Amino acid sequence: MFTELNSILSSSPDSVTPGEFILVSDRQSDASFLIHHFLSFYLRSRCKVIFLGLVQSFRHYSAVSQRLGVSLTQAKEKGQLVFMEGLKESLSVLIPQADNTESQAMNFLRDPPVGLRSLYEFVRSCAVGSGRAEDGAEEWGPPVLLVDDVSVLLSLGVDAGAVLDFSHYCRAAVCSQMKGNMVMLVRCNGEEEEEEDGEEGAEALLKGLTHQCSLNLHVQGLPTGYCKDIHGQVEVCWKRRQGDGPHTQRNLFQYKVHDKGASFFPRGTSSAVL
């Protein structure tokens, strides 16, 4: 958990704003450090966390979280964390084994054009079951859905429209009905101008999710190029409703990732990059 980022977002584990959809996006950079932040943040907040890990193994997330002072293994054992390891679950569907239980959540892999209903049903069933640990000894806060990263679904044959539908229904269930929160990572590897087809692919997905979210953290490289002391910049965009309609506020920060955290600087205040 990054305390400087908490300060920027005016948040703390003791005071979680309900109903937020936080979109983490990157372009020719790596925003995964923010996913690790929000994972540790919501576990410290005692929320029930449903994590769809579509990119890395549980061991990877566990090792990073350990450096941030959070044990994912203990969170799973207590019933606070539900972790779906997408790589392993995909293999159970694509290469069935007699001794393996097939995952219903990843059934869409058999026919990607049918959409992500099975994955949504998995998320909803886990979120509805939040509130108490399996042993009944501990009570958890509202559910939180984390997805790392939703762009992977495109490479699995799911179209951008189906992914946006999945996000919409998850937001309605988790954020609106259950007063929980949602965090998704989406990646765009190329330049913004490269993709001319505005209705397909990662650009369409990014555009649609940006429209849906209430807070967007967009990570990108420095316009001046590589710098060993500053790893990149993150644009923080808040969307708030006021009396005369929706308002958007943007701030730009530079950042550096450390082994056990990250530092953030308002653009132009770091001595390394002006």
Side-chain angles (χ1 to χ4, degrees), residues 65-83:
S65 295
Q66 199 73 42
R67 294 200 296 269
L68 298 178
V70 175
S71 172
L72 298 192
T73 300
Q74 290 183 5
K76 282 184 66 177
E77 291 173 349
K78 293 178 180 179
Q80 184 186 9
L81 172 66
V82 177
F83 184 90

Side-chain angles (χ1 to χ4, degrees), residues 1-233:
M1 185 179 69
F2 309 147
T3 55
E4 290 183 16
L5 182 58
N6 287 342
S7 178
I8 292 171
L9 301 180
S10 300
S11 61
S12 75
D14 298 324
S15 179
V16 176
T17 302
E20 278 198 327
F21 174 16
I22 301 173
L23 177 66
V24 177
S25 57
D26 63 32
R27 185 181 300 278
Q28 297 182 322
S29 191
D30 185 5
S32 58
F33 69 98
L34 293 176
I35 289 294
H36 295 296
H37 161 77
F38 285 112
L39 175 58
S40 62
F41 174 86
Y42 284 114
L43 288 175
R44 289 179 183 274
S45 301
R46 297 186 58 79
C47 294
K48 174 68 175 287
V49 177
I50 303 104
F51 194 114
L52 304 185
L54 303 178
V55 178
Q56 301 285 356
S57 66
F58 176 80
R59 181 177 297 181
H60 167 81
Y61 296 106
S62 181
V64 177
S65 295
Q66 199 73 42
R67 294 200 296 269
L68 298 178
V70 175
S71 172
L72 298 192
T73 300
Q74 290 183 5
K76 282 184 66 177
E77 291 173 349
K78 293 178 180 179
Q80 184 186 9
L81 172 66
V82 177
F83 184 90
M84 191 196 77
E85 191 166 333
L87 298 174
K88 183 182 295 184
E89 298 293 346
S90 297
L91 287 176
S92 71
V93 175
L94 299 175
I95 310 176
Q97 301 291 331
D99 57 345
N100 287 345
T101 302
E102 183 177 304
S103 171
Q104 298 297 318
M106 302 295 286
N107 269 353
F108 67 88
L109 290 174
R110 296 187 180 279
D111 188 11
V114 304
L116 298 170
R117 183 177 181 86
S118 61
L119 190 59
Y120 165 74
E121 293 295 346
F122 170 81
V123 170
R124 182 173 176 81
S125 65
C126 294
V128 169
S130 65
R132 288 192 176 276
E134 293 181 0
D135 60 5
E138 295 190 57
E139 186 172 349
W140 310 116
V144 175
L145 170 64
L146 280 83
V147 185
D148 179 19
D149 79 73
V150 72
S151 310
V152 170
L153 298 172
L154 299 178
S155 64
L156 294 176
V158 182
D159 64 55
V163 179
L164 290 173
D165 287 342
F166 169 73
S167 172
H168 170 77
Y169 284 110
C170 286
R171 181 188 179 194
V174 175
C175 299
S176 298
Q177 297 177 12
M178 304 178 198
K179 306 303 180 185
N181 293 290
M182 192 163 76
V183 182
M184 287 188 174
L185 171 63
V186 61
R187 297 185 184 278
C188 289
N189 294 323
E191 295 290 345
E192 189 170 359
E193 295 81 6
E194 285 183 4
E195 188 164 345
E196 296 180 357
D197 188 346
E199 299 302 322
E200 297 180 358
E203 292 294 342
L205 181 59
L206 174 60
K207 183 177 180 180
L209 292 174
T210 301
H211 178 74
Q212 292 182 11
C213 74
S214 55
L215 171 63
N216 180 206
L217 286 78
H218 183 65
V219 176
Q220 53 192 336
L222 293 171
T224 54
Y226 172 78
C227 175
K228 68 177 182 178
D229 295 315
I230 299 295
H231 293 155
Q233 59 188 26

